C-alpha cells in the first residue's frame, strides 16, 4: 500500500541533458530515494534533442550523483536503472505520442497509478508549446494526477509573463502549476515563518513600532561564468529581484496566516506585494541603484570586467548589481524601509537578512564608556545557515560600560547531516501536492508589475557603466541610498562592525 509521503511517480524531465538536471535534479532525486522519501515504484524519463540512449543517460546520472554525494555503489546502480531516455523534438507531435507510450509502459512495469510530473528544465520559449502538446496528445489524461514544474524566468516582463501563463493555463489548472523558486526551498528561508510566528519574543515586535529597517543582501563573488548569453538579456533585476528578493520580502513582511495552509500563506504574501509602493519613472533614481562590475581582484586574483566576459556585448548596459528601497504601505510596515541588494563579483558570497530594531528613546548607557549598538537579528541563508542575535551587555571590566555580544545558532554545526538541498525539498513537495513554497500566478503578476517601470527606465538611461570594481560591495550610490535615511548597510561578517 502506498504511503502518504512517497507517492508512486513518473518524473519527465524536458532538457535532461542540461546543466540544471546534472547539478541539481539528479542528486536531489537520488537523495529522496536514499532517504526513503521516494517510492521504489518510480520512473524518470529524460527527453532532449541529443541522440542519447538509456545507457548514456544512466552513466551521466551516476556521474552527477557521485559528484554531489557519496552514494552506495549497489544502491546507485539500482537507482539509475529507473532512468530512461527518449530523443525528442518538441515541434513533432509524434514525439509526444512516443513519450506517452513509454510512460504508459513504465507505469505498468512499476505499478505507478498515472501520477506524472512534467519538469521544464529547458529554454522558456518552449514552455507553452510543450504544455499545449502534453494536453492535446493525452499525456495529462491519467487516472492519477499531472503537475507541471516550471523554472524561471517566467517571462521577461508582465506582458510576456501573461502570455506564457495563458498558454500554460489552457493545458493545466493553476493548482497543477508549480513555478519553482529554489530560494523558497532553502532551510533558513523556510525558517523565516517559524522565527516570526513561533516565538513570543519576536512576533509582537515585528512591526514599525520596534523595527527601523530590514536589509536583504544576496551577493555573489562569481561573475556570469557560462551564462553570458542569458544574463545579458536578463540582468540582476529580472534574474534576482523579480523572484528571489521579492519572495523573501513577502515572507518577512506578511501578516500571520490564519492557518498553515498553502492558500492562507500565499494569500498573506500576495497582500504584501499589493501593498508595495509603486515606483514611478521619476522616482527610480530615488529608490533604486544599478551597477555593472568592472575589472578587479577576488581573493588575490585579477578578474575581468563584465563587458569582457564570454557572450557579452562589449557596450552592454545590463546591470549586474541592484540595490533598492522598498516601502510597504500597510498598517504594520508604514515608514519602515526594506533595503535589498544583489550582485555579481562582489566581495563575498553570502545571502543574509538583517532586521535592525529601533534604539531606545533614552538609553542611559550611552556614555563614553559604552559601545552601544542597535539590536540586530541576522538570518543567515547561505553559505552558512543560522541565526545571530546581537545584544548589548556589560563590558568585562570595571568601567560600567556596555559592548555588543552575539548569540549565535549555526544550523550547519548542529545538524551534522547536510540540510536538504532546496531542489530536493521542493521536488518532494511537488510529489505530495504541497504548493506552499511555489509561486502563485498572482505573485508573479504583481512582482513583474512592480519592476517593469524600473527596467524600462534603465533601458532608456545613459548612465555610465561599469561603476563598481570586482571584489567590492557594489557602487557608492548603494551606500548613499541608505545614508540619506540615516542608515548604513550592515557588513556580512559576524561582528556587525
Amino acid at each position: 500500500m502506498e504511503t502518504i509521503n512517497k507517492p508512486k511517480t513518473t518524473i519527465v524531465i524536458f532538457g535532461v541533458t542540461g546543466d540544471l538536471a546534472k547539478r541539481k535534479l539528479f542528486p536531489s532525486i537520488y537523495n529522496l530515494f536514499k532517504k526513503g522519501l521516494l517510492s521504489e515504484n518510480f520512473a524518470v524519463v529524460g527527453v532532449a534533442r541529443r541522440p542519447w540512449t538509456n545507457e548514456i543517460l544512466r552513466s551521466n546520472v551516476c556521474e552527477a550523483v557521485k559528484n554531489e554525494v557519496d552514494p552506495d555503489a549497489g544502491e546507485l546502480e539500482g537507482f539509475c536503472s529507473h532512468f530512461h531516455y527518449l530523443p525528442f523534438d518538441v515541434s513533432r507531435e509524434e514525439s509526444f505520442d512516443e513519450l506517452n507510450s513509454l510512460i504508459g509502459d513504465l507505469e505498468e512495469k512499476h505499478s505507478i497509478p498515472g501520477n506524472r510530473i512534467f519538469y521544464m528544465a529547458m529554454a522558456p520559449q518552449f514552455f507553452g508549446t510543450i504544455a499545449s502538446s502534453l494536453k492535446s496528445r493525452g499525456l495529462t489524461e491519467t487516472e492519477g494526477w499531472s503537475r507541471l514544474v516550471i523554472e524561471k524566468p517566467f517571462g521577461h516582463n508582465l506582458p510576456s509573463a501573461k502570455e506564457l501563463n495563458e498558454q500554460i493555463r489552457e493545458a493545466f489548472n493553476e493548482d497543477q502549476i508549480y513555478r519553482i523558486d529554489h530560494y523558497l526551498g532553502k532551510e533558513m528561508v523556510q525558517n523565516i515563518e517559524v522565527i516570526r510566528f513561533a516565538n513570543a519574543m519576536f512576533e509582537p515586535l515585528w512591526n514599525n513600532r520596534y523595527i527601523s529597517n530590514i536589509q536583504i543582501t544576496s551577493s555573489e563573488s562569481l561573475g556570469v561564468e557560462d551564462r553570458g548569453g542569458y544574463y545579458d538579456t536578463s540582468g540582476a533585476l529580472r534574474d534576482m529581484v523579480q523572484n528571489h528578493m521579492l519572495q523573501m520580502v513577502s515572507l518577512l513582511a506578511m501578516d500571520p496566516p490564519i492557518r498553515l495552509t498553502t492558500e492562507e500563506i500565499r494569500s498573506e504574501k500576495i497582500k504584501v506585494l499589493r501593498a508595495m509602493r509603486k515606483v514611478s519613472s521619476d522616482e527610480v533614481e530615488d529608490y533604486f541603484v544599478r551597477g555593472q562590475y568592472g575589472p578587479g581582484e577576488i581573493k588575490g586574483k585579477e578578474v575581468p570586467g563584465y563587458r569582457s566576459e564570454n557572450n557579452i556585448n562589449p557596450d552592454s548596459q545590463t546591470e549586474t548589481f541592484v540595490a533598492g528601497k522598498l516601502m510597504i504601505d500597510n498598517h504594520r510596515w508604514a515608514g519602515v524601509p526594506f533595503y535589498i541588494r544583489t550582485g555579481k563579483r562582489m566581495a563575498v558570497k553570502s545571502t543574509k537578512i538583517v532586521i535592525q530594531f529601533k534604539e531606545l528613546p533614552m538609553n542611559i548607557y550611552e556614555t563614553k564608556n559604552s559601545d552601544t549598538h542597535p539590536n540586530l537579528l541576522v538570518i543567515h541563508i547561505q553559505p552558512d545557515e543560522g541565526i545571530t542575535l546581537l545584544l548589548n551587555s556589560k563590558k568585562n571590566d570595571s568601567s560600567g560600560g556596555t559592548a555588543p555580544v552575539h548569540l549565535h545558532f549555526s544550523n550547519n554545526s548542529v545538524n551534522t547531516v547536510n540540510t536538504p538541498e532546496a531542489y530536493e525539498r521542493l521536488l518532494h513537495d511537488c510529489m505530495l501536492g504541497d504548493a506552499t513554497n511555489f509561486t502563485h500566478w498572482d505573485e508573479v503578476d504583481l512582482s513583474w508589475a512592480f519592476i517593469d517601470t524600473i527596467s524600462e527606465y534603465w533601458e532608456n538611461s545613459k548612465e555610465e557603466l561599469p561603476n563598481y570594481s570586482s571584489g567590492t560591495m557594489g557602487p557608492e550610490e548603494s551606500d548613499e541610498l541608505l545614508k540619506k535615511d540615516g542608515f548604513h548597510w550592515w557588513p556580512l561578517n559576524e561582528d556587525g562592525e
Side-chain angles (χ1 to χ4, degrees), residues 304-471:
Y306 176 73
R307 294 178 177 182
S308 302
E309 302 274 23
N310 291 333
N311 300 317
I312 300 297
N313 179 345
D315 298 317
S316 175
Q317 288 292 109
T318 299
E319 79 285 351
T320 63
F321 173 95
V322 173
K325 171 184 171 181
L326 311 179
M327 302 302 294
I328 298 170
D329 294 328
N330 62 18
H331 183 72
R332 181 184 287 260
W333 294 113
V336 178
F338 283 67
Y339 299 109
I340 60 171
R341 64 174 169 174
T342 181
K344 293 190 174 294
R345 285 279 188 238
M346 293 172 71
V348 291
K349 173 181 172 60
S350 181
T351 301
K352 289 185 183 174
I353 297 163
V354 180
I355 294 93
Q356 180 175 339
F357 292 90
K358 287 185 175 180
E359 304 275 11
L360 289 169
M362 187 183 79
N363 191 335
I364 59 175
Y365 280 98
E366 281 187 345
T367 70
K368 62 182 180 180
N369 294 325
S370 293
D371 179 17
T372 54
H373 201 292
N375 295 143
L376 303 177
L377 173 65
V378 184
I379 303 172
H380 309 265
I381 308 294
Q382 65 178 20
D384 300 321
E385 294 178 350
I387 307 164
T388 300
L389 186 58
L390 194 144
L391 306 173
N392 291 304
S393 180
K394 180 184 176 300
K395 275 186 178 177
N396 234 355
D397 57 28
S398 59
S399 67
T402 65
V405 295
H406 300 79
L407 308 181
H408 185 65
F409 161 74
S410 174
N411 202 38
N412 295 341
S413 63
V414 172
N415 296 324
T416 51
V417 181
N418 229 4
T419 54
E421 168 63 41
Y423 278 91
E424 179 186 327
R425 181 183 281 113
L426 293 173
L427 274 170
H428 189 232
D429 284 351
C430 181
M431 291 176 197
L432 300 178
D434 183 353
T436 305
N437 294 306
F438 292 82
T439 311
H440 189 275
W441 162 248
D442 289 350
E443 297 172 70
V444 177
D445 184 339
L446 289 163
S447 58
W448 275 124
F450 179 79
I451 74 158
D452 274 0
T453 304
I454 303 159
S455 58
E456 286 166 13
Y457 178 83
W458 283 346
E459 281 166 13
N460 298 315
S461 171
K462 302 299 180 186
E463 189 177 355
E464 280 293 315
L465 295 175
N467 61 359
Y468 72 97
S469 300
S470 293

Side-chain angles (χ1 to χ4, degrees), residues 139-319:
L139 279 89
T140 58
E141 296 171 15
T142 73
E143 294 178 5
W145 43 255
S146 295
R147 293 169 187 151
L148 183 71
V149 181
I150 303 178
E151 282 281 342
K152 68 166 192 174
F154 197 90
H156 62 271
N157 55 19
L158 184 54
S160 63
K162 281 183 174 177
E163 183 182 351
L164 175 57
N165 196 57
E166 286 166 6
Q167 288 179 320
I168 291 168
R169 285 297 302 274
E170 288 176 7
F172 292 87
N173 299 325
E174 177 62 34
D175 61 5
Q176 294 177 293
I177 301 169
Y178 288 68
R179 300 174 190 85
I180 199 164
D181 184 331
H182 69 271
Y183 266 57
L184 295 182
K186 292 183 182 295
E187 180 71 16
M188 293 308 299
V189 171
Q190 294 195 350
N191 224 329
I192 292 170
E193 293 171 62
V194 181
I195 292 167
R196 289 190 53 194
F197 304 135
N199 291 290
M201 67 183 293
F202 288 130
E203 182 52 26
L205 308 182
W206 212 265
N207 54 59
N208 52 12
R209 283 178 294 167
Y210 299 100
I211 291 176
S212 66
N213 72 88
I214 292 178
Q215 303 177 13
I216 308 171
T217 297
S218 184
S219 59
E220 295 182 60
S221 55
L222 292 175
V224 291
E225 308 306 300
D226 55 357
R227 298 175 70 218
Y230 157 73
Y231 198 89
D232 207 37
T233 60
S234 170
L237 188 69
R238 292 186 175 103
D239 188 51
M240 286 293 295
V241 176
Q242 182 269 332
N243 37 71
H244 308 322
M245 304 300 279
L246 292 186
Q247 283 293 317
M248 286 192 281
V249 168
S250 66
L251 287 170
L252 288 161
M254 65 187 270
D255 279 340
I258 298 167
R259 60 188 67 86
L260 291 175
T261 63
T262 299
E263 292 74 21
E264 296 296 343
I265 292 171
R266 281 176 159 181
S267 173
E268 295 302 337
K269 289 169 64 185
I270 288 165
K271 288 178 187 175
V272 171
L273 295 172
R274 285 191 179 130
M276 276 198 320
R277 186 184 301 172
K278 299 292 186 292
V279 178
S280 68
S281 297
D282 295 338
E283 297 171 317
V284 171
E285 291 188 5
D286 295 327
Y287 284 88
F288 277 83
V289 171
R290 69 168 174 167
Q292 184 188 93
Y293 67 83
E297 192 174 288
I298 304 267
K299 294 180 180 176
K301 180 183 175 184
E302 292 290 328
V303 293
Y306 176 73
R307 294 178 177 182
S308 302
E309 302 274 23
N310 291 333
N311 300 317
I312 300 297
N313 179 345
D315 298 317
S316 175
Q317 288 292 109
T318 299
E319 79 285 351

